[in-house]
Amino acid sequence: MSSATSRRQKPNILIAGTPGTGKTTISKQLEEMTQFNHIEVGEFAKKNNLLESWDAKYNCHIIDEDKVVDKLEQVVPAGGYIIDYHGCDFFPERWFDAVFVLKTDNTILYDRLLARGYDEAKIRENVECEIFQEIVCEAQDSYREDVVMELQNDSLKDIESNVNHIRQWIDSWTGVKK
Ligand code: ADP
Ligand code: MN
């Protein structure tokens, strides 16, 4: 473990997953409970003018990954951050003590993206992303095995249990590190 990691008083967690799996919903609840800083990376990039172009695949802005990482590097290593983004391969591995990848049943995800107003093609692309577990694979390729945890997020009950699970993970990390 690097000295930078051992100095961190609070952990950093990454909430990843296909668009619509519930990252922002869960991150916001965790932010309220823990007083950690929630950063929705897409919004953060937009506010700070760190965008490159429009991502036709995910129907969102393409962020300038290097600029986003440079900007976040000023604050995130100190700890206490909940980073919320669908992708996860461009962040420095050392930032995160845990990477939670949310997963949602295909039919449920389809309905959520329809409700969000995505067109048929975008819905299909995102549902395929989920079927092929692209974000899970990306996380497994980018972070140590013991850091990556998958959480099923289909129902309202799942929100509660996933939030509790992550909060308990934070509590035990903090307890161990104190
Ligand atoms: P993401 O940030 O991953 O794109 P959101 O948190 O914005 O996803 O959630 C997408 C939509 O699905 C929202 O309308 C949200 O209220 C709903 N949602 C998220 N998680 C659940 C769940 N476990 N059960 C039911 N609805 C959910
Ligand atoms: Mn979101």
Side-chain angles (χ1 to χ4, degrees):
M1 190 179 288
S2 74
S3 57
T5 306
S6 55
R7 271 201 304 274
R8 198 145 64 207
Q9 295 298 306
K10 295 176 181 174
N12 287 321
I13 65 172
L14 176 62
I15 311 281
T18 305
T21 50
K23 301 180 294 295
T24 303
T25 304
I26 284 183
S27 298
K28 281 186 172 159
Q29 290 197 14
L30 281 168
E31 180 185 35
E32 258 179 49
M33 274 179 179
T34 60
Q35 311 299 318
F36 278 34
N37 300 296
H38 168 217
I39 295 189
E40 197 179 347
V41 173
E43 287 301 312
F44 176 85
K46 214 187 286 178
K47 268 190 219 143
N48 290 279
N49 215 10
L50 308 173
L51 298 172
E52 256 185 356
S53 56
W54 183 254
D55 186 333
K57 184 174 179 194
Y58 289 106
N59 206 10
C60 60
H61 286 102
I62 291 185
I63 63 167
D64 187 321
E65 295 177 351
D66 289 343
K67 284 188 187 165
V68 165
V69 167
D70 282 352
K71 184 108 183 155
L72 289 176
E73 175 67 20
Q74 296 165 22
V75 291
V76 170
Y81 281 82
I82 300 163
I83 305 294
D84 159 4
Y85 197 58
H86 59 260
C88 58
D89 61 355
F90 63 93
F91 300 115
E93 190 181 357
R94 65 185 153 76
W95 277 6
F96 299 111
D97 304 289
V99 175
F100 294 97
V101 184
L102 302 183
K103 302 203 300 185
T104 300
D105 169 82
N106 307 326
T107 319
I108 295 170
L109 185 64
Y110 184 96
D111 291 342
R112 284 189 202 160
L113 296 174
L114 191 67
R116 193 179 254 189
Y118 280 18
D119 65 32
E120 192 65 38
K122 293 286 159 266
I123 294 176
R124 200 177 319 121
E125 266 163 316
N126 282 296
V127 169
E128 275 173 15
C129 171
E130 186 65 6
I131 289 170
F132 294 116
Q133 301 215 31
E134 286 177 22
I135 310 293
V136 175
C137 294
E138 189 179 316
Q140 287 170 345
D141 286 347
S142 309
Y143 299 90
R144 284 204 333 258
E145 199 181 349
D146 57 324
V147 167
V148 179
M149 289 160 270
E150 299 171 34
L151 294 174
Q152 195 68 29
N153 191 47
D154 294 336
S155 64
L156 293 176
K157 238 178 138 181
D158 288 338
I159 296 182
E160 196 186 333
S161 72
N162 289 331
V163 166
N164 282 332
H165 180 89
I166 297 171
R167 201 197 41 165
Q168 278 166 21
W169 182 92
I170 290 171
D171 286 348
S172 70
W173 191 96
T174 311
V176 168
K177 299 288 162 180
K178 255 179 196 160

